[in-house]
Amino acid sequence: MEGTQVASSEVATAQPNMPLKYKINVNGREYDYETKDTTIDYKGLIYLAYSKYEPNRVYTVTVCYPNNVDKKSKSLVAGESVELMDGLIFNIANT
């Protein structure tokens, strides 16, 4: 229907082959991130930040939520993922 808005979760269910788009920030760089998933994992964030992943290195990944979301910042470790949403800020350090 013309003029009807559909929630992104409904779009993902109705059209599983269509990528979802999110505006995220990784280490100060803005990305228009397209994916078929609703999450991004630790390893995927490191690839965005450094264009490679070295499993023997330790990375610190901090997730900061946009101002309009009532969640506190948190850290991610290997194997964890975070639900994507517009405005997420990721700070990743190679330690």
Side-chain angles (χ1 to χ4, degrees):
M1 284 190 197
E2 189 175 331
T4 302
Q5 293 184 353
V6 179
S8 62
S9 61
E10 292 174 1
V11 171
T13 303
Q15 302 173 358
N17 294 325
M18 297 296 295
L20 302 171
K21 296 179 184 179
Y22 302 94
K23 290 193 178 292
I24 62 173
N25 185 300
V26 178
N27 286 356
R29 290 184 303 223
E30 289 190 11
Y31 289 88
D32 289 324
Y33 186 72
E34 289 189 23
T35 181
K36 292 181 183 176
D37 297 322
T38 57
T39 62
I40 189 167
D41 66 5
Y42 173 88
K43 193 173 179 180
L45 286 165
I46 292 165
Y47 274 113
L48 280 176
Y50 297 109
S51 300
K52 63 182 177 180
Y53 174 76
E54 297 178 41
N56 58 340
R57 295 203 146 199
V58 176
Y59 299 91
T60 303
V61 178
T62 305
V63 181
C64 301
Y65 291 91
N67 291 335
N68 62 340
V69 177
D70 190 26
K71 291 187 178 183
K72 294 184 178 183
S73 297
K74 69 177 201 171
S75 296
L76 282 183
V77 296
E80 290 186 332
S81 62
V82 65
E83 189 78 21
L84 283 163
M85 66 179 67
D86 283 337
L88 280 178
I89 300 168
F90 300 98
N91 296 306
I92 301 155
N94 183 350
T95 55

Coordinates of all heavy atoms in Angstrom, one line a residue:
M1 N 0.8 -1.2 0.0 CA 0.0 0.0 0.0 C 0.9 1.2 0.0 O 1.8 1.3 0.7 CB -0.9 0.0 1.3 CG -2.0 -0.8 1.3 SD -2.8 -0.3 2.8 CE -3.9 -1.4 3.1
E2 N 0.4 2.2 -0.7 CA 1.2 3.5 -0.8 C 1.0 4.2 0.5 O 0.0 4.3 1.1 CB 0.7 4.3 -1.9 CG 1.5 5.5 -2.2 CD 1.1 6.3 -3.4 OE1 0.5 5.6 -4.3 OE2 1.3 7.5 -3.4
G3 N 2.2 4.7 1.1 CA 2.1 5.5 2.3 C 2.2 4.7 3.6 O 2.2 5.3 4.6
T4 N 2.2 3.4 3.5 CA 2.2 2.5 4.6 C 3.7 2.3 5.0 O 4.5 1.9 4.2 CB 1.5 1.2 4.4 OG1 0.2 1.5 4.0 CG2 1.5 0.3 5.6
Q5 N 4.0 2.5 6.3 CA 5.4 2.2 6.7 C 5.4 0.8 7.3 O 4.5 0.4 8.0 CB 5.8 3.2 7.8 CG 6.0 4.5 7.2 CD 6.6 5.5 8.2 OE1 6.7 5.2 9.3 NE2 6.9 6.7 7.7
V6 N 6.4 0.0 7.1 CA 6.6 -1.3 7.6 C 7.8 -1.3 8.5 O 8.9 -0.8 8.1 CB 6.7 -2.3 6.4 CG1 6.9 -3.7 7.0 CG2 5.5 -2.2 5.5
A7 N 7.7 -1.9 9.7 CA 8.9 -2.0 10.6 C 9.9 -2.9 9.9 O 9.6 -3.8 9.1 CB 8.5 -2.7 11.9
S8 N 11.2 -2.6 10.2 CA 12.3 -3.3 9.6 C 12.3 -4.8 9.9 O 12.6 -5.6 9.0 CB 13.7 -2.8 10.0 OG 13.9 -2.9 11.4
S9 N 11.8 -5.2 11.0 CA 11.7 -6.7 11.3 C 10.6 -7.3 10.4 O 10.8 -8.5 10.0 CB 11.3 -6.9 12.8 OG 10.1 -6.3 13.1
E10 N 9.6 -6.6 10.1 CA 8.6 -7.1 9.2 C 9.1 -7.2 7.8 O 8.9 -8.2 7.1 CB 7.3 -6.2 9.2 CG 6.6 -6.3 10.5 CD 5.4 -5.3 10.5 OE1 5.2 -4.6 9.5 OE2 4.8 -5.2 11.5
V11 N 10.0 -6.3 7.4 CA 10.6 -6.3 6.1 C 11.5 -7.5 6.0 O 11.5 -8.3 5.0 CB 11.4 -5.0 5.8 CG1 12.2 -5.2 4.5 CG2 10.5 -3.8 5.6
A12 N 12.3 -7.8 7.0 CA 13.2 -8.9 7.1 C 12.5 -10.2 7.0 O 12.9 -11.1 6.3 CB 14.1 -8.9 8.3
T13 N 11.3 -10.3 7.6 CA 10.5 -11.5 7.6 C 9.8 -11.7 6.2 O 9.8 -12.7 5.6 CB 9.4 -11.5 8.7 OG1 10.1 -11.3 9.9 CG2 8.6 -12.7 8.7
A14 N 9.3 -10.6 5.7 CA 8.5 -10.6 4.4 C 9.5 -10.8 3.2 O 9.1 -11.4 2.3 CB 7.7 -9.4 4.3
Q15 N 10.7 -10.3 3.3 CA 11.6 -10.3 2.2 C 13.0 -10.8 2.7 O 13.9 -9.9 2.8 CB 11.7 -8.9 1.5 CG 10.4 -8.4 1.0 CD 10.4 -7.0 0.5 OE1 11.5 -6.4 0.5 NE2 9.3 -6.5 0.0
P16 N 13.2 -12.1 2.9 CA 14.4 -12.5 3.6 C 15.6 -12.3 2.7 O 16.7 -12.3 3.3 CB 14.1 -14.0 3.8 CG 13.0 -14.4 2.8 CD 12.2 -13.1 2.6
N17 N 15.5 -12.1 1.4 CA 16.7 -11.9 0.6 C 17.1 -10.5 0.4 O 18.1 -10.2 -0.2 CB 16.5 -12.6 -0.8 CG 16.4 -14.1 -0.7 OD1 17.0 -14.7 0.1 ND2 15.5 -14.6 -1.5
M18 N 16.3 -9.6 1.0 CA 16.6 -8.1 0.9 C 17.5 -7.7 2.0 O 17.2 -8.0 3.2 CB 15.4 -7.3 0.9 CG 14.4 -7.6 -0.2 SD 15.1 -7.1 -1.8 CE 15.3 -5.3 -1.6
P19 N 18.7 -7.1 1.7 CA 19.5 -6.6 2.8 C 18.9 -5.5 3.6 O 18.2 -4.7 3.1 CB 20.8 -6.2 2.1 CG 20.4 -5.9 0.7 CD 19.2 -6.7 0.4
L20 N 19.2 -5.5 4.9 CA 18.8 -4.4 5.8 C 19.9 -3.4 5.8 O 21.1 -3.7 5.7 CB 18.5 -4.9 7.2 CG 17.5 -6.0 7.3 CD1 17.4 -6.6 8.7 CD2 16.1 -5.4 6.9
K21 N 19.6 -2.1 6.0 CA 20.6 -1.1 6.0 C 20.7 -0.4 7.4 O 19.6 0.0 7.9 CB 20.4 0.0 4.9 CG 20.5 -0.6 3.6 CD 20.2 0.4 2.5 CE 20.2 -0.2 1.1 NZ 19.9 0.8 0.1
Y22 N 21.8 -0.2 8.0 CA 22.0 0.5 9.2 C 23.1 1.5 9.1 O 24.1 1.3 8.4 CB 22.4 -0.5 10.3 CG 21.5 -1.6 10.5 CD1 21.6 -2.8 9.9 CD2 20.4 -1.5 11.4 CE1 20.7 -3.9 10.0 CE2 19.5 -2.5 11.6 CZ 19.6 -3.7 10.9 OH 18.7 -4.7 11.1
K23 N 22.9 2.6 9.8 CA 24.0 3.7 9.9 C 24.7 3.4 11.2 O 24.1 3.6 12.3 CB 23.4 5.1 9.8 CG 22.9 5.4 8.5 CD 22.6 6.9 8.4 CE 22.1 7.3 7.0 NZ 23.1 7.1 5.9
I24 N 26.0 3.0 11.1 CA 26.8 2.7 12.3 C 28.1 3.5 12.2 O 28.5 3.9 11.2 CB 27.0 1.2 12.6 CG1 27.8 0.6 11.4 CG2 25.7 0.5 12.8 CD1 28.2 -0.8 11.7
N25 N 28.8 3.6 13.4 CA 30.0 4.3 13.5 C 31.0 3.3 14.1 O 30.8 2.8 15.2 CB 29.9 5.6 14.3 CG 31.1 6.4 14.4 OD1 32.2 6.0 14.8 ND2 31.0 7.6 13.9
V26 N 32.2 3.1 13.4 CA 33.2 2.2 13.9 C 34.5 3.0 13.9 O 35.0 3.5 12.9 CB 33.4 1.0 13.0 CG1 34.5 0.1 13.5 CG2 32.1 0.2 12.9
N27 N 35.0 3.2 15.1 CA 36.3 4.0 15.3 C 36.3 5.3 14.6 O 37.2 5.7 14.0 CB 37.5 3.2 14.9 CG 37.8 2.1 15.9 OD1 37.2 1.9 16.9 ND2 38.8 1.2 15.5
G28 N 35.1 6.0 14.7 CA 35.1 7.4 14.2 C 34.7 7.4 12.7 O 34.5 8.5 12.2
R29 N 34.5 6.3 12.1 CA 34.1 6.3 10.6 C 32.7 5.8 10.5 O 32.3 4.8 11.1 CB 35.0 5.4 9.8 CG 36.4 5.9 9.7 CD 37.2 5.0 8.8 NE 37.2 3.6 9.4 CZ 38.2 2.8 9.4 NH1 39.4 3.1 9.0 NH2 38.1 1.6 10.0
E30 N 31.9 6.6 9.7 CA 30.5 6.2 9.5 C 30.4 5.2 8.4 O 31.1 5.3 7.4 CB 29.7 7.5 9.2 CG 29.5 8.3 10.4 CD 28.5 9.5 10.2 OE1 27.8 9.4 9.2 OE2 28.4 10.3 11.0
Y31 N 29.5 4.2 8.6 CA 29.3 3.2 7.6 C 27.8 3.1 7.4 O 27.0 3.2 8.3 CB 29.7 1.8 8.1 CG 31.2 1.7 8.2 CD1 31.9 2.0 9.4 CD2 31.9 1.1 7.1 CE1 33.3 1.9 9.4 CE2 33.3 1.0 7.2 CZ 34.0 1.3 8.4 OH 35.3 1.2 8.5
D32 N 27.4 2.9 6.1 CA 26.1 2.5 5.7 C 26.2 1.0 5.6 O 26.6 0.5 4.5 CB 25.6 3.1 4.4 CG 25.3 4.6 4.6 OD1 24.8 5.0 5.7 OD2 25.6 5.4 3.7
Y33 N 25.9 0.3 6.7 CA 26.2 -1.2 6.7 C 25.0 -1.9 6.2 O 23.9 -1.8 6.8 CB 26.5 -1.5 8.2 CG 27.0 -2.9 8.4 CD1 28.2 -3.4 8.0 CD2 26.1 -3.9 9.0 CE1 28.6 -4.7 8.2 CE2 26.5 -5.2 9.2 CZ 27.8 -5.6 8.8 OH 28.1 -6.9 9.0
E34 N 25.2 -2.8 5.2 CA 24.1 -3.6 4.7 C 24.3 -5.0 5.0 O 25.4 -5.6 4.9 CB 24.0 -3.5 3.2 CG 23.6 -2.1 2.7 CD 23.3 -2.1 1.2 OE1 23.1 -3.2 0.6 OE2 23.3 -1.0 0.6
T35 N 23.3 -5.7 5.5 CA 23.4 -7.1 5.9 C 22.0 -7.8 5.9 O 21.0 -7.1 5.9 CB 24.0 -7.2 7.3 OG1 24.1 -8.6 7.7 CG2 23.1 -6.5 8.4
K36 N 22.0 -9.1 5.8 CA 20.7 -9.8 5.8 C 20.5 -10.2 7.3 O 19.4 -10.7 7.6 CB 20.8 -11.0 5.0 CG 20.8 -10.7 3.5 CD 20.9 -11.9 2.6 CE 21.0 -11.5 1.2 NZ 21.1 -12.7 0.3
D37 N 21.4 -10.0 8.2 CA 21.3 -10.3 9.6 C 20.8 -9.1 10.4 O 21.0 -8.0 9.9 CB 22.6 -10.8 10.2 CG 23.1 -12.1 9.5 OD1 22.3 -12.9 9.3 OD2 24.3 -12.2 9.3
T38 N 20.3 -9.3 11.6 CA 19.9 -8.2 12.4 C 21.0 -8.0 13.5 O 20.8 -7.1 14.4 CB 18.5 -8.5 13.1 OG1 18.6 -9.7 13.8 CG2 17.5 -8.5 12.0
T39 N 22.1 -8.7 13.5 CA 23.1 -8.6 14.4 C 24.5 -8.5 13.7 O 24.6 -8.8 12.6 CB 23.2 -9.8 15.4 OG1 23.5 -11.0 14.7 CG2 21.9 -10.0 16.2
I40 N 25.5 -8.0 14.5 CA 26.9 -8.0 14.0 C 27.7 -8.6 15.2 O 27.4 -8.3 16.3 CB 27.4 -6.6 13.6 CG1 28.7 -6.7 12.9 CG2 27.3 -5.6 14.7 CD1 29.2 -5.5 12.2
D41 N 28.6 -9.4 14.8 CA 29.4 -10.1 15.9 C 30.8 -9.4 16.0 O 31.2 -8.6 15.2 CB 29.6 -11.6 15.6 CG 30.4 -11.9 14.4 OD1 30.9 -11.0 13.7 OD2 30.4 -13.1 14.1
Y42 N 31.5 -9.9 17.1 CA 32.8 -9.4 17.5 C 33.8 -9.4 16.3 O 34.4 -8.4 16.0 CB 33.2 -10.3 18.6 CG 34.6 -10.1 19.1 CD1 34.9 -9.2 20.1 CD2 35.7 -10.9 18.6 CE1 36.2 -9.0 20.6 CE2 37.0 -10.7 19.1 CZ 37.2 -9.8 20.1 OH 38.5 -9.7 20.6
K43 N 33.8 -10.5 15.6 CA 34.8 -10.7 14.5 C 34.4 -9.7 13.3 O 35.3 -9.1 12.7 CB 34.7 -12.1 14.1 CG 35.9 -12.5 13.2 CD 35.8 -14.1 12.9 CE 36.9 -14.5 12.0 NZ 36.8 -16.0 11.8
G44 N 33.1 -9.6 13.0 CA 32.7 -8.7 12.0 C 33.1 -7.3 12.2 O 33.5 -6.5 11.3
L45 N 33.0 -6.8 13.5 CA 33.3 -5.5 13.9 C 34.8 -5.2 13.7 O 35.3 -4.2 13.3 CB 32.9 -5.2 15.3 CG 31.4 -5.0 15.4 CD1 31.0 -5.1 16.9 CD2 31.0 -3.6 14.8
I46 N 35.6 -6.2 14.1 CA 37.1 -6.1 13.9 C 37.5 -6.0 12.5 O 38.3 -5.2 12.1 CB 37.8 -7.2 14.6 CG1 37.6 -7.1 16.2 CG2 39.3 -7.3 14.3 CD1 37.9 -8.3 17.0
Y47 N 36.8 -6.8 11.6 CA 37.0 -6.6 10.2 C 36.7 -5.2 9.7 O 37.5 -4.7 8.9 CB 36.2 -7.6 9.4 CG 36.9 -9.0 9.2 CD1 36.3 -10.1 9.8 CD2 38.0 -9.2 8.4 CE1 36.9 -11.4 9.7 CE2 38.6 -10.4 8.3 CZ 38.0 -11.5 8.9 OH 38.6 -12.7 8.7
L48 N 35.6 -4.6 10.1 CA 35.3 -3.3 9.7 C 36.4 -2.3 10.2 O 36.7 -1.4 9.5 CB 34.0 -2.8 10.3 CG 32.7 -3.3 9.6 CD1 31.5 -2.9 10.3 CD2 32.7 -2.8 8.1
A49 N 36.9 -2.5 11.4 CA 37.8 -1.5 12.0 C 39.2 -1.7 11.4 O 39.9 -0.7 11.1 CB 37.9 -1.7 13.5
Y50 N 39.7 -2.9 11.1 CA 41.1 -3.1 10.7 C 41.2 -3.9 9.4 O 42.4 -4.1 9.0 CB 41.8 -3.9 11.8 CG 41.9 -3.2 13.1 CD1 41.1 -3.6 14.2 CD2 42.7 -2.1 13.3 CE1 41.2 -2.9 15.4 CE2 42.7 -1.4 14.5 CZ 42.0 -1.8 15.5 OH 42.0 -1.1 16.7
S51 N 40.1 -4.2 8.7 CA 40.2 -4.9 7.5 C 40.8 -6.3 7.6 O 41.1 -7.0 6.6 CB 40.9 -4.1 6.4 OG 40.3 -2.9 6.2
K52 N 41.0 -6.8 8.8 CA 41.5 -8.2 9.0 C 41.2 -8.6 10.4 O 41.0 -7.7 11.3 CB 43.0 -8.3 8.7 CG 43.9 -7.4 9.6 CD 45.3 -7.5 9.2 CE 46.2 -6.6 10.1 NZ 47.6 -6.7 9.8
Y53 N 41.3 -9.8 10.7 CA 41.1 -10.4 12.0 C 42.3 -11.3 12.3 O 42.5 -12.2 11.5 CB 39.8 -11.1 12.1 CG 39.6 -11.8 13.5 CD1 39.3 -11.1 14.6 CD2 39.7 -13.2 13.6 CE1 39.1 -11.7 15.8 CE2 39.5 -13.8 14.8 CZ 39.2 -13.1 15.9 OH 39.1 -13.7 17.1
E54 N 43.0 -11.1 13.4 CA 44.1 -11.9 13.8 C 43.7 -12.6 15.1 O 43.6 -12.0 16.2 CB 45.4 -11.1 14.0 CG 45.8 -10.4 12.7 CD 47.1 -9.6 12.9 OE1 48.0 -10.0 13.6 OE2 47.1 -8.5 12.3
P55 N 43.4 -13.9 15.1 CA 42.8 -14.6 16.2 C 43.7 -14.6 17.5 O 43.3 -14.7 18.6 CB 42.5 -16.0 15.7 CG 43.2 -16.1 14.5 CD 43.5 -14.8 13.9
N56 N 45.0 -14.5 17.3 CA 46.0 -14.5 18.4 C 46.1 -13.1 19.1 O 46.8 -13.0 20.0 CB 47.3 -15.0 18.0 CG 47.9 -14.2 16.8 OD1 47.3 -13.5 16.1 ND2 49.2 -14.4 16.6
R57 N 45.5 -12.1 18.5 CA 45.5 -10.8 19.1 C 44.3 -10.6 20.0 O 43.2 -11.2 19.8 CB 45.5 -9.7 18.1 CG 46.7 -9.7 17.2 CD 47.0 -8.4 16.6 NE 48.4 -8.3 16.6 CZ 49.0 -7.1 16.4 NH1 48.3 -6.0 16.3 NH2 50.3 -7.1 16.4
V58 N 44.4 -9.6 21.0 CA 43.3 -9.3 21.9 C 42.7 -7.9 21.4 O 43.5 -7.0 21.2 CB 43.8 -9.2 23.3 CG1 42.6 -8.8 24.2 CG2 44.3 -10.6 23.8
Y59 N 41.4 -7.9 21.2 CA 40.8 -6.7 20.8 C 39.8 -6.3 21.9 O 39.1 -7.2 22.5 CB 40.0 -6.9 19.5 CG 40.9 -7.2 18.3 CD1 41.1 -8.6 18.0 CD2 41.4 -6.3 17.5 CE1 41.9 -9.0 16.9 CE2 42.2 -6.6 16.4 CZ 42.4 -8.0 16.1 OH 43.2 -8.3 15.1
T60 N 39.7 -5.0 22.2 CA 38.6 -4.5 23.1 C 37.6 -3.8 22.2 O 37.8 -2.9 21.5 CB 39.3 -3.5 24.0 OG1 40.3 -4.1 24.7 CG2 38.2 -3.0 25.0
V61 N 36.3 -4.3 22.4 CA 35.2 -3.8 21.6 C 34.2 -3.2 22.6 O 33.7 -3.9 23.4 CB 34.6 -4.9 20.7 CG1 33.4 -4.4 20.0 CG2 35.6 -5.5 19.8
T62 N 33.9 -1.9 22.4 CA 32.9 -1.3 23.2 C 31.8 -0.8 22.3 O 32.0 -0.2 21.3 CB 33.5 0.0 24.0 OG1 34.6 -0.5 24.7 CG2 32.5 0.6 24.9
V63 N 30.5 -1.1 22.8 CA 29.3 -0.7 22.1 C 28.7 0.5 22.8 O 28.4 0.3 24.0 CB 28.3 -1.9 22.0 CG1 27.1 -1.5 21.2 CG2 29.0 -3.1 21.4
C64 N 28.4 1.6 22.1 CA 27.7 2.7 22.7 C 26.4 2.9 22.0 O 26.4 2.9 20.7 CB 28.6 4.0 22.6 SG 30.2 3.9 23.4
Y65 N 25.3 3.0 22.7 CA 24.0 3.1 22.1 C 23.7 4.6 21.9 O 24.1 5.5 22.6 CB 22.9 2.5 23.0 CG 23.1 1.0 23.1 CD1 23.9 0.3 24.0 CD2 22.5 0.2 22.1 CE1 24.0 -1.0 24.1 CE2 22.6 -1.2 22.2 CZ 23.4 -1.8 23.1 OH 23.5 -3.2 23.2
P66 N 22.8 4.8 20.9 CA 22.4 6.2 20.6 C 21.6 6.8 21.8 O 21.1 6.0 22.6 CB 21.5 6.1 19.4 CG 21.4 4.7 19.0 CD 22.2 3.9 20.0
N67 N 21.5 8.1 21.8 CA 20.9 8.8 23.0 C 19.5 8.4 23.2 O 19.0 8.4 24.3 CB 21.0 10.3 22.8 CG 22.4 10.8 22.9 OD1 23.3 10.2 23.6 ND2 22.7 11.9 22.3
N68 N 18.8 8.0 22.2 CA 17.3 7.8 22.3 C 17.1 6.3 22.8 O 15.9 5.9 22.9 CB 16.6 8.0 21.0 CG 17.1 7.1 19.9 OD1 18.1 6.6 19.9 ND2 16.2 7.0 18.8
V69 N 18.1 5.6 23.1 CA 17.9 4.2 23.5 C 18.3 4.1 25.0 O 19.4 4.5 25.3 CB 18.8 3.2 22.6 CG1 18.7 1.8 23.1 CG2 18.3 3.3 21.2
D70 N 17.5 3.5 25.8 CA 17.7 3.4 27.2 C 18.6 2.1 27.5 O 18.1 1.2 28.2 CB 16.4 3.4 28.0 CG 16.6 3.5 29.5 OD1 17.6 4.1 29.9 OD2 15.8 3.0 30.2
K71 N 19.8 2.1 27.0 CA 20.7 1.0 27.3 C 22.1 1.6 27.7 O 22.4 2.7 27.1 CB 20.9 0.1 26.2 CG 19.6 -0.8 25.9 CD 19.9 -1.8 24.8 CE 18.7 -2.6 24.5 NZ 19.0 -3.7 23.5
K72 N 22.9 0.9 28.5 CA 24.2 1.4 28.8 C 25.2 0.8 27.8 O 24.9 -0.2 27.2 CB 24.6 1.0 30.2 CG 23.7 1.7 31.3 CD 24.2 1.3 32.7 CE 23.3 2.1 33.7 NZ 23.7 1.8 35.0
S73 N 26.3 1.5 27.7 CA 27.4 0.9 26.9 C 27.8 -0.4 27.4 O 27.7 -0.7 28.6 CB 28.6 1.9 26.9 OG 28.3 3.1 26.4
K74 N 28.3 -1.3 26.5 CA 28.8 -2.6 27.0 C 30.0 -3.0 26.2 O 30.3 -2.4 25.1 CB 27.7 -3.6 26.9 CG 27.3 -4.0 25.5 CD 26.2 -5.0 25.5 CE 26.1 -5.8 24.2 NZ 25.2 -7.0 24.3
S75 N 30.7 -4.0 26.6 CA 31.8 -4.6 25.9 C 31.4 -5.9 25.3 O 30.5 -6.6 25.8 CB 33.0 -4.9 26.9 OG 33.4 -3.7 27.4
L76 N 32.0 -6.2 24.1 CA 31.8 -7.5 23.5 C 33.1 -8.3 23.5 O 34.2 -7.7 23.5 CB 31.5 -7.3 22.0 CG 30.1 -6.9 21.5 CD1 30.0 -6.8 20.0 CD2 29.1 -7.8 22.1
V77 N 33.0 -9.6 23.6 CA 34.1 -10.5 23.6 C 33.9 -11.5 22.5 O 32.8 -11.6 21.9 CB 34.3 -11.2 24.9 CG1 34.6 -10.2 26.0 CG2 33.1 -12.1 25.3
A78 N 34.9 -12.2 22.1 CA 34.9 -13.1 21.0 C 33.7 -14.1 21.2 O 33.4 -14.6 22.3 CB 36.2 -14.0 20.9
G79 N 32.9 -14.3 20.1 CA 31.8 -15.1 20.1 C 30.5 -14.4 20.4 O 29.4 -15.0 20.2
E80 N 30.5 -13.2 20.9 CA 29.3 -12.4 21.2 C 28.9 -11.5 20.0 O 29.7 -11.2 19.1 CB 29.5 -11.5 22.4 CG 29.6 -12.3 23.7 CD 29.7 -11.3 24.9 OE1 30.2 -10.2 24.8 OE2 29.3 -11.8 25.9
S81 N 27.6 -11.1 20.0 CA 27.1 -10.2 18.9 C 26.2 -9.2 19.6 O 25.8 -9.4 20.7 CB 26.4 -11.0 17.8 OG 25.3 -11.7 18.4
V82 N 25.8 -8.2 18.8 CA 25.0 -7.2 19.3 C 23.9 -6.9 18.2 O 24.1 -7.0 17.0 CB 25.7 -5.9 19.6 CG1 26.4 -5.3 18.4 CG2 24.9 -4.9 20.3
E83 N 22.7 -6.6 18.7 CA 21.5 -6.3 17.8 C 21.8 -5.0 17.1 O 22.1 -4.0 17.8 CB 20.3 -6.2 18.6 CG 19.0 -6.1 17.8 CD 18.6 -7.5 17.2 OE1 19.0 -8.5 17.7 OE2 17.8 -7.4 16.2
L84 N 21.7 -5.0 15.8 CA 22.0 -3.7 15.0 C 20.9 -2.8 15.1 O 19.7 -3.1 15.2 CB 22.3 -4.1 13.6 CG 23.6 -4.7 13.3 CD1 23.6 -5.3 11.9 CD2 24.7 -3.6 13.3
M85 N 21.2 -1.5 15.1 CA 20.2 -0.4 15.0 C 21.0 0.8 14.5 O 22.2 0.9 14.7 CB 19.6 -0.1 16.4 CG 20.5 0.4 17.5 SD 19.7 0.8 19.0 CE 19.3 -0.9 19.6
D86 N 20.3 1.8 13.9 CA 20.9 3.0 13.5 C 21.5 3.7 14.7 O 20.9 3.8 15.7 CB 19.9 3.9 12.8 CG 19.5 3.4 11.4 OD1 20.3 2.7 10.8 OD2 18.4 3.8 10.9
G87 N 22.7 4.3 14.4 CA 23.3 5.2 15.4 C 24.2 4.5 16.4 O 24.8 5.1 17.2
L88 N 24.4 3.2 16.3 CA 25.3 2.5 17.2 C 26.7 3.0 16.9 O 27.1 3.2 15.8 CB 25.3 1.0 17.0 CG 24.1 0.2 17.6 CD1 24.2 -1.3 17.3 CD2 24.2 0.4 19.1
I89 N 27.5 3.1 18.0 CA 28.9 3.5 17.9 C 29.7 2.4 18.5 O 29.5 1.9 19.6 CB 29.1 4.8 18.7 CG1 28.2 5.9 18.1 CG2 30.6 5.2 18.7 CD1 28.2 7.2 19.0
F90 N 30.7 2.0 17.7 CA 31.6 0.9 18.2 C 33.0 1.5 18.3 O 33.5 2.1 17.3 CB 31.6 -0.2 17.2 CG 30.3 -0.9 17.0 CD1 29.4 -0.5 16.0 CD2 29.8 -1.8 17.9 CE1 28.2 -1.1 15.8 CE2 28.6 -2.4 17.8 CZ 27.8 -2.1 16.7
N91 N 33.7 1.3 19.4 CA 35.1 1.7 19.6 C 35.9 0.4 19.8 O 35.6 -0.4 20.7 CB 35.2 2.6 20.8 CG 34.5 3.9 20.6 OD1 34.7 4.6 19.6 ND2 33.6 4.2 21.5
I92 N 36.8 0.2 18.9 CA 37.6 -1.1 18.9 C 39.1 -0.7 18.9 O 39.6 0.1 18.2 CB 37.3 -1.9 17.6 CG1 35.8 -2.1 17.5 CG2 38.1 -3.1 17.5 CD1 35.3 -2.3 16.1
A93 N 39.7 -1.4 19.9 CA 41.2 -1.1 20.1 C 41.9 -2.5 20.0 O 41.4 -3.5 20.5 CB 41.4 -0.5 21.5
N94 N 43.0 -2.5 19.4 CA 43.9 -3.6 19.3 C 44.8 -3.6 20.5 O 45.7 -2.7 20.5 CB 44.6 -3.6 17.9 CG 45.5 -4.8 17.7 OD1 45.7 -5.6 18.6 ND2 46.0 -4.9 16.5
T95 N 44.6 -4.4 21.5 CA 45.4 -4.3 22.7 C 46.5 -5.4 22.8 O 46.4 -6.4 22.1 CB 44.5 -4.4 23.9 OG1 43.8 -5.6 23.9 CG2 43.6 -3.2 24.0

